Amino acid sequence: MAEMTRKAFVCGHPIAHSRSPKIHGHWLAYYGLDGCYEAIDVAPADFADFAASVRAGRYVGGNITIPNKEIASQAVDRLDAAAKEIGAVNTLWVQDGLLQGSNTDAYGFAANLDDHAPDWSAVPGAAVVLGAGGAARAVLFALKHRGFSDIRIVNRTPARAQALAAEFGPAFSAHDFGAANALLDDAALLVNTTSLGMHGETDIAVDLGRLPVGALVADIVYVPLETPLLAAARQRGLKTVDGLGMLLHQAVPGFEIWFGVRPEVTPELRGLIVADILAKAA
Ligand code: ATR
């Protein structure tokens, strides 16, 4: 009997903006696989029913995006360590009739830096992370697991940074933006996880001139590809990595689980998504 076409999904609310179908569609065609990957709008109130339909075999698995990542971590049957600690599921699949949930955002963040700044965690020094939301949690998880032992969380609302630092452990400390500049003097890495820069805001209130010469500045925002923070860092001669690679790399583990081939993040794939970003900005 011929095997049925494997179907995977990305679900969010809204979902039309998602670039995941382009990424997975590219890989399905490139590797010549009998599979499909579709975007579905699922409102949070409908997520439990949707999850039940996946468990019953409607899909082999899929990606979960805003605003369903936290709800998904409640709805699945088993969570891996990353999903548990980050508190959100972005990738799920069915195994032995059970829904398994993972979070590949931390993997995607680290793999992107491995790709574009290979020695970024060779000597894990001090790191400054701007933001304390869901995206920050994935970055903090990645830094912890790469051995960073002095991770400084800077956030507009100090209570959120304090809560994260308390939860993630003694290597983490919480600060407000007023104290941020002094934290940069000996930092090897600065990461923006806030939404600042997405709408062309120019003033992330940190003085990049305080960073050491060899420091790396990374943004997880990828529209625009070069955020004002990255542009300012580049103009100062600092190393920079944009956020698009995180999106591409976080997609790898799910594709491998659903379709059985570990896909590669290639310049061709990146070019495809860059073209889409530029087309939509035009
Ligand atoms: P996500 O899941 O994408 O991280 P989030 O949980 O809403 O989204 O978190 C957004 C982050 O961007 C937070 O750290 C937020 O700061 P607050 O906790 O103080 O809200 C930060 N952020 C958003 N807009 C900001 C702004 N104009 N200035 C400073 N920080 C901002």
Side-chain angles (χ1 to χ4, degrees):
M1 196 173 77
E3 211 187 308
M4 287 207 310
T5 300
R6 290 168 174 243
K7 283 175 66 182
F9 64 86
V10 57
C11 83
H13 183 69
I15 195 61
H17 65 282
S18 173
R19 292 190 165 90
S20 292
K22 273 209 155 51
I23 297 170
H24 290 280
H26 169 79
W27 282 332
L28 284 169
Y30 182 80
Y31 294 106
L33 300 173
D34 180 18
C36 75
Y37 183 98
E38 59 194 32
I40 325 180
D41 195 309
V42 177
D46 300 325
F47 190 81
D49 286 347
F50 176 71
S53 78
V54 177
R55 193 185 283 107
R58 182 174 166 198
Y59 294 98
V60 292
N63 287 123
I64 315 293
T65 189
I66 295 166
N68 294 330
K69 289 185 183 189
E70 287 80 13
I71 303 170
S73 73
Q74 311 293 323
V76 302
D77 303 307
R78 282 196 207 135
L79 295 173
D80 70 3
K84 225 177 258 174
E85 201 165 334
I86 296 167
V89 162
N90 78 336
T91 302
L92 62 75
W93 66 98
V94 185
Q95 195 176 312
D96 305 325
L98 296 177
L99 275 184
Q100 316 276 326
S102 179
N103 189 307
T104 66
D105 286 332
Y107 165 80
F109 171 76
N112 182 34
L113 296 195
D114 287 342
D115 206 1
H116 295 284
D119 60 352
W120 73 280
S121 66
V123 185
V128 176
V129 175
L130 306 178
R137 297 181 70 94
V139 169
L140 298 178
F141 180 87
L143 296 181
K144 183 173 169 178
H145 288 269
R146 286 303 182 97
F148 284 81
S149 56
D150 179 357
I151 303 153
R152 304 154 181 179
I153 309 166
V154 175
N155 200 46
R156 177 180 59 182
T157 309
R160 288 185 91 188
Q162 285 154 10
L164 271 190
E167 186 185 328
F168 273 79
F172 296 79
S173 56
H175 311 267
D176 55 37
F177 272 94
N181 287 338
L183 303 173
L184 300 179
D185 290 341
D186 61 346
L189 175 65
L190 171 66
V191 186
N192 174 49
T193 75
T194 75
S195 46
L196 283 167
M198 254 188 224
H199 312 290
E201 305 93 336
T202 47
D203 59 334
I204 284 195
V206 292
D207 177 4
L208 295 175
R210 301 281 294 258
L211 280 168
V213 175
L216 172 67
V217 179
D219 207 322
I220 71 163
V221 171
Y222 58 88
V223 181
L225 216 41
E226 186 176 65
T227 59
L229 177 75
L230 292 183
R234 180 172 54 79
Q235 279 151 21
R236 289 195 165 272
L238 295 164
K239 284 180 289 181
T240 61
V241 177
D242 67 52
L244 180 55
M246 179 176 172
L247 173 74
L248 304 178
H249 282 283
Q250 65 75 33
V252 168
F255 188 93
E256 182 178 19
I257 292 166
W258 310 317
F259 302 118
V261 172
R262 189 163 184 90
E264 235 189 300
V265 173
T266 56
E268 186 190 358
L269 172 63
R270 185 181 160 92
L272 192 74
I273 304 302
V274 169
D276 186 59
I277 291 171
L278 296 177
K280 289 191 174 129

